[in-house]
Amino acid sequence: MSLSSGHLLGIANLDAEEIVRILDTAETFAEISTREIKKVPTLRGRTVVNFFVEPSTRTRSSFELAEKRLSADSLNFSASSSSFSKGESLLDTARTLEAMAPDFIVMRHSQPGAPHFLARHGQASIINAGDGPHEHPTQALLDAYTIRQHKGKIDGLRVAIVGDVRHSRVALSNIHLLTKLGATVVACSPPTMLPRGLETLGCEVTHRPDEALEGADVVMGLRVQLERMTSGFFPSLREYARLYGINRERLRRAKSDAIVMHPGPMNRGVEIAGDVADGERSVILEQVTNGVAVRMAVLYLLAGERDKAA
Amino acid sequence: MKQLLLKNGRVIDPANGIDGQADVLLEKGKVQKVGARISPGGADVIDCKGLLVCPGFIDMHVHLREPGQEWKETIETGTRCAAHSGFTAVACMPNTTPVNDSRSVTELIVNAARERGMVRVHPIGAVSKGQKGEELAEMSDMVDAGAVAFSDDGHPVRSSLLMRKALEYSQIFGVPVIDHCEDRELVDGGVMNEGDVSTRLGLKGWPSVAEDILVQRDILLAEYTGGHVHIAHMSTGKAAEFVRRAKKQKVKVTCEVTPHHFALTDEAVGEFDTDAKMNPPLRSEADRKALIKAIADGTIDAIATDHAPHHPDEKCVEFACAPFGIIGLETAIPLSIDLLVHAGVISWDRLVELFTVNPARILGIEAGTLTPGVAADVTVIDPDREFVVDKSTTESKSVNTPFHGWKLRGCSVLTIVGGRIVHNRDE
Ligand SMILES: [Zn+2]
């Protein structure tokens, strides 16, 4: 299942060529965001439902902006997590959404596979905006876009991903994407947060951050959630910050021109030191800017696939 | 009832060391005679040329869902499904609503089976009251009412102390304690085998070591107490190794494996297919191969289905929200014939043993043989007949199977219970 399926469910389903096509398309859309009138009629008359079952201000805002700039009619459909069969089932919700005849459903859900479920039970194109700890494909695409902007390429780079890899859809999508485009990815977590068999995805795996950062072109921090501490993955935020926080000292091991990334929202002083987040190597805010162009590209390309299929 | 003569078949009766051309005469609900060229007399004759005539197959692990969950399955539909699948008897797990933890529930099941059952039903009582894992249930009462074993299946017996007591107390009745081996703390909400597939899908993993630990604990407790523990639906290579070693040391441990665990791996989850979600979960290819080896070398005593019907609405949800379990009766014999016998892993004799005399011995029921005088429960198998798995024709109330569309070679053609034909595939 690739873009031709009409959905963007994950990076795992894309091949390198499709990824590059999305990134190239995003470049042309980035230009629009620099115009005085930041709007094109590309998706006029199309309906996009932003279906967010898990709160996410930044991803939803980024999608909304992308939809508006493409002149789509968009509507937000939020639901509180109906997990474990309390309340309305996902199938019934899917049918309700389908009855509104949307062209696209941008979906955020706490359960892995929820967007795949929607794709199986309807006609709309589904864009996965994060399904639990599974995938977050547009985040990985905007990360790749940002890396390409700074490094001119992805092939041959060394990318260190440091943090809670086990619960991170950002990590998983990035590992898929960057390895497909020829980068060496090193995933680094406390051993309690390293999912088993991760190396079968083609990345290197370590629990030593110094080893991960050594010679890195890109250093990506991952958000760590407080609830991971209470469920025993590490003893305290203080200790986590000391062992795994990305700080100036640690960053010295990376290449002198290495960039620092974070998908946000950040816990300053935990997974990333404030001065690093705000420092000259940080591209964190560019990531946010690029998110809009990448999401415009995804909507545009999927609309093309829908037209082909129609 | 008329006499029935099964003529010219290949009779396979492992308990009596029989494997060869013979006729089988059934009379008054009992096996009358097994021998060469039995004269028909007034019997109805069935030509079994090219077919295998075996003792009735027993599925020692099914969930019939009655009482209390009749939207999934009932004793009537479950036993009809069993008959159509080639089974003459099933043993049903106690995780019903209410739990089968008392004489009254056991009696209810026995009576319902007598009235509406197509095959024999042997209830398995709960180890603990309400399957809560706290106090022993009244085993004696349940044995009197017909219970053949005890299990908290659906749940493990979490407390080692309670397991010890169960293994001790059950010795009064000479029945096994069947354990669903799952260290719940280690499983920690896992929904599929922990490994590269769960990592790829972002699904919470159910680690094999959580099963291994409980299997080893149960073996140690069986050895210490002298009780008989039976490991339900064993799914890991390591657990099989533990059982293999324990058997060499004469510990009273037996075990079963399901067809789905020797037929599939966690890759079958694909893109979040809830019909590939069961407990224990589908494991790695290394585990699958180790189970097949354990079937071949005699470590595994029985093949049982863990037939676990769930309504389509219950399965048509996000993967993590779906209940564990698949239906298994209809596919069990074809999968076993195709993937074990035709694939050259085991002999016909061994296959029949896994489905007949072994489960009968474990449960202490007089069945699983064609010894003259025993009940005339017979399964006749066509070794080459094609069997296509089709959800739309299943006799179960539920359709949750990952095998839909599979083409298999070999299936039952005739199921006889107490001398009466309860299913004929050609009618
Ligand atoms: Zn079980």
Side-chain angles (χ1 to χ4, degrees):
Chain A
M1 236 211 293
S2 56
L3 272 187
S4 62
S5 69
H7 307 290
L8 178 63
L9 300 176
I11 300 293
N13 311 115
L14 301 179
D15 57 35
E17 209 173 298
E18 290 176 303
I19 294 166
V20 170
R21 187 148 66 96
I22 297 170
L23 299 181
D24 290 347
T25 309
E27 267 174 28
T28 68
F29 280 112
E31 186 269 326
I32 294 167
S33 301
T34 64
R35 294 184 197 169
E36 193 158 348
I37 295 177
K38 302 176 174 59
K39 202 162 175 134
V40 290
T42 317
L43 291 189
R44 189 183 288 156
R46 311 241 187 181
T47 309
V48 186
V49 174
N50 296 310
F51 174 38
F52 279 62
V53 184
E54 211 185 42
S56 153
T57 316
R58 37 180 68 224
T59 303
R60 205 185 64 192
S61 310
S62 179
F63 267 107
E64 273 187 58
L65 205 51
E67 291 151 15
K68 292 199 162 88
R69 287 189 179 162
L70 290 172
S71 307
D73 298 318
S74 63
L75 108 101
N76 292 328
F77 189 100
S78 330
S80 58
S81 182
S82 67
S83 64
F84 300 96
S85 309
K86 277 183 219 114
E88 190 177 51
S89 76
L90 185 58
L91 183 62
D92 286 329
T93 311
R95 286 175 177 157
T96 304
L97 290 175
E98 199 60 30
M100 300 177 192
D103 298 284
F104 298 94
I105 298 173
V106 176
M107 182 183 195
R108 162 66 62 94
H109 199 280
S110 62
Q111 291 297 335
H116 306 67
F117 182 92
L118 228 60
R120 277 198 293 271
H121 292 101
Q123 302 302 316
S125 284
I126 309 298
I127 298 172
N128 181 1
D131 59 333
H134 180 221
E135 282 229 45
H136 192 355
T138 56
Q139 177 71 43
L141 287 162
L142 75 88
D143 288 342
Y145 183 92
T146 309
I147 295 171
R148 221 172 63 158
Q149 219 174 22
H150 282 268
K151 301 289 170 194
K153 58 167 190 177
I154 287 176
D155 186 35
L157 295 180
R158 184 174 166 87
V159 182
I161 302 178
V162 184
D164 181 4
V165 175
R166 186 189 184 106
H167 304 99
S168 176
R169 50 188 168 228
V170 176
L172 201 59
S173 287
N174 264 303
I175 290 168
H176 281 308
L177 191 155
L178 296 168
T179 53
K180 279 175 200 242
L181 292 193
T184 301
V185 179
V186 192
C188 177
S189 281
T192 47
M193 289 170 146
L194 278 175
R196 281 177 90 82
L198 188 65
E199 65 289 345
T200 61
L201 298 179
C203 61
E204 293 174 20
V205 176
T206 176
H207 62 265
R208 297 185 184 88
D210 286 349
E211 204 174 288
L213 262 61
E214 193 68 48
D217 298 283
V218 178
V219 178
M220 198 181 284
L222 297 174
R223 178 178 171 77
V224 65
Q225 283 165 329
L226 187 63
E227 73 212 53
R228 306 300 175 209
M229 182 182 89
T230 48
S231 46
F233 288 97
F234 55 90
S236 69
L237 286 176
R238 187 179 144 274
E239 187 156 308
Y240 183 86
R242 192 164 65 77
L243 290 174
Y244 289 92
I246 299 167
N247 53 33
R248 282 200 175 274
E249 171 66 25
R250 211 156 252 152
L251 205 53
R252 275 198 204 115
R253 298 194 171 256
K255 285 206 183 126
S256 56
D257 62 346
I259 55 170
V260 175
M261 309 178 77
H262 192 290
M266 283 183 282
N267 299 296
R268 284 173 180 264
V270 183
E271 71 262 8
I272 190 163
D275 57 348
V276 171
D278 301 332
E280 69 287 349
R281 294 172 172 201
S282 167
V283 299
I284 294 171
L285 293 175
E286 288 170 49
Q287 289 174 268
V288 178
T289 310
N290 294 335
V292 179
V294 162
R295 289 173 176 126
M296 287 168 82
V298 167
L299 284 160
Y300 168 78
L301 290 171
L302 287 178
E305 296 297 339
R306 279 181 81 76
D307 291 345
K308 259 191 252 167
Chain B
M1 199 188 303
K2 270 199 104 174
Q3 289 181 327
L4 207 54
L5 181 62
L6 305 171
K7 250 196 134 25
N8 302 320
R10 173 179 165 190
V11 175
I12 303 178
D13 180 10
N16 290 308
I18 296 171
D19 181 356
Q21 205 77 23
D23 299 344
V24 177
L25 182 66
L26 310 177
E27 188 182 38
K28 294 193 182 103
K30 304 231 184 294
V31 175
Q32 180 62 33
K33 200 172 167 190
V34 178
R37 288 181 294 279
I38 298 174
S39 81
D44 282 344
V45 179
I46 298 176
D47 184 18
C48 293
K49 195 160 187 291
L51 305 177
L52 313 176
V53 178
C54 316
F57 279 32
I58 301 161
D59 185 348
M60 65 176 295
H61 189 146
V62 302
H63 298 270
L64 295 179
R65 306 298 190 203
E66 187 181 342
Q69 300 150 24
E70 290 85 355
W71 66 91
K72 298 174 193 255
E73 195 80 281
T74 64
I75 287 171
E76 185 178 347
T77 59
T79 56
R80 188 167 65 226
C81 184
H84 282 245
S85 310
F87 291 99
T88 59
V90 296
C92 60
M93 284 298 174
N95 57 337
T96 46
T97 319
V99 167
N100 180 16
D101 62 355
S102 65
R103 177 196 287 265
S104 57
V105 182
T106 306
E107 279 174 352
L108 184 145
I109 292 167
V110 168
N111 291 337
R114 193 176 297 135
E115 284 166 23
R116 291 175 274 124
M118 256 195 173
V119 304
R120 296 178 203 278
V121 175
H122 300 285
I124 294 169
V127 170
S128 64
K129 289 181 185 137
Q131 291 193 311
K132 289 203 175 86
E134 290 159 9
E135 310 164 66
L136 290 180
E138 289 179 316
M139 291 187 179
S140 172
D141 257 15
M142 288 188 274
V143 167
D144 288 348
V148 292
F150 293 98
S151 178
D152 273 354
D153 188 57
H155 313 272
V157 179
R158 286 166 93 139
S159 153
S160 300
L161 177 60
L162 185 74
M163 190 61 181
R164 172 193 175 156
K165 286 175 180 156
L167 284 167
E168 288 171 341
Y169 196 72
S170 60
Q171 291 177 49
I172 302 173
F173 321 104
V175 299
V177 176
I178 302 176
D179 202 14
H180 164 122
C181 293
E182 171 186 356
D183 182 322
R184 283 273 160 97
E185 279 70 33
L186 267 175
V187 170
D188 191 28
V191 295
M192 72 170 294
N193 183 46
E194 182 173 71
D196 45 337
V197 183
S198 66
T199 292
R200 227 154 61 209
L201 295 174
L203 289 169
K204 204 153 185 201
W206 187 143
S208 55
V209 67
E211 179 169 340
D212 305 337
I213 282 177
L214 243 65
V215 169
Q216 187 63 292
R217 178 203 73 171
D218 287 352
I219 288 169
L220 289 168
L221 287 171
E223 183 178 25
Y224 192 76
T225 60
H228 174 184
V229 69
H230 176 81
I231 309 297
H233 43 52
M234 196 165 67
S235 73
T236 74
K238 193 140 249 160
E241 180 55 31
F242 290 157
V243 171
R244 184 179 290 122
R245 271 190 244 156
K247 283 185 164 184
K248 274 194 197 121
Q249 289 154 14
K250 306 287 178 229
V251 179
K252 274 169 95 173
V253 55
T254 52
C255 65
E256 70 194 28
V257 69
T258 72
H260 49 271
H261 285 115
F262 69 69
L264 298 172
T265 67
D266 51 3
E267 294 283 356
V269 173
E271 285 215 320
F272 308 97
D273 182 0
T274 58
D275 282 343
K277 179 178 175 182
M278 62 288 278
N279 189 353
L282 298 171
R283 299 286 186 194
S284 69
E285 178 64 6
D287 286 310
R288 193 185 74 85
K289 286 203 174 115
L291 290 180
I292 287 190
K293 181 170 165 268
I295 292 170
D297 73 11
T299 302
I300 308 273
D301 297 278
I303 295 174
T305 65
D306 194 9
H307 180 79
H310 291 292
H311 192 273
D313 285 349
E314 296 170 299
K315 279 286 197 180
C316 193
V317 293
E318 302 91 307
F319 190 89
C321 307
F324 291 100
I326 62 168
I327 55 171
L329 283 164
E330 281 166 341
T331 45
I333 296 173
L335 283 168
S336 302
I337 292 173
D338 198 320
L339 302 181
L340 299 177
V341 181
H342 291 320
V345 175
I346 57 171
S347 65
W348 281 109
D349 188 69
R350 170 79 177 130
L351 178 93
V352 175
E353 178 184 275
L354 285 159
F355 273 110
T356 60
V357 60
N358 284 3
R361 277 182 189 150
I362 291 165
L363 299 175
I365 54 180
E366 198 187 70
T369 77
L370 293 174
T371 310
V374 305
D377 296 353
V378 181
T379 297
V380 179
I381 284 174
D382 183 335
D384 294 310
R385 182 160 172 161
E386 190 182 66
F387 180 86
V388 182
V389 185
D390 184 354
K391 282 184 180 194
S392 67
T393 61
T394 180
E395 290 293 333
S396 172
K397 261 197 168 181
S398 297
V399 294
N400 46 315
T401 173
F403 297 111
H404 179 69
W406 281 41
K407 282 193 177 66
L408 298 162
R409 184 156 67 99
C411 60
S412 67
V413 288
L414 215 55
T415 312
I416 300 167
V417 177
R420 189 195 312 269
I421 296 173
V422 294
H423 179 247
N424 181 341
R425 206 171 283 280
D426 289 315
E427 276 169 12

